[in-house]
Amino acid sequence: MRNALLPLLLLAATPALAADEPPHTGRAGTRSMPELSDLALAACAVAGVWFVRSRLRARFRKTAPRD
């Protein structure tokens, strides 16, 4: 029961956390480098590809026919 309430509490806290930011002006800003979230997404993608490839290599190593 306790775990079912956690998503609701997070949704309830989100507007309070977002209230401190200034309103959006509608104009795009300049970007001099990638955002931290972009780098985190790239790192997660690399880690996911590495993990899947290692599991597939281990799987086919077990079932490979022996000569």
Side-chain angles (χ1 to χ4, degrees):
M1 181 71 178
R2 183 186 287 174
N3 291 338
L5 294 177
L6 183 61
L8 292 175
L9 289 174
L10 290 174
L11 285 174
T14 303
L17 294 174
D20 293 339
E21 295 184 19
H24 184 55
T25 62
R27 263 190 269 156
T30 60
R31 294 180 68 175
S32 60
M33 61 180 280
E35 294 286 332
L36 185 58
S37 61
D38 298 335
L39 298 175
L41 282 173
C44 287
V46 167
V49 168
W50 174 83
F51 178 74
V52 169
R53 287 187 57 156
S54 69
R55 294 296 95 208
L56 285 173
R57 278 195 298 268
R59 177 181 172 187
F60 288 117
R61 196 177 306 127
K62 285 185 209 174
T63 61
R66 301 285 179 187
D67 290 337

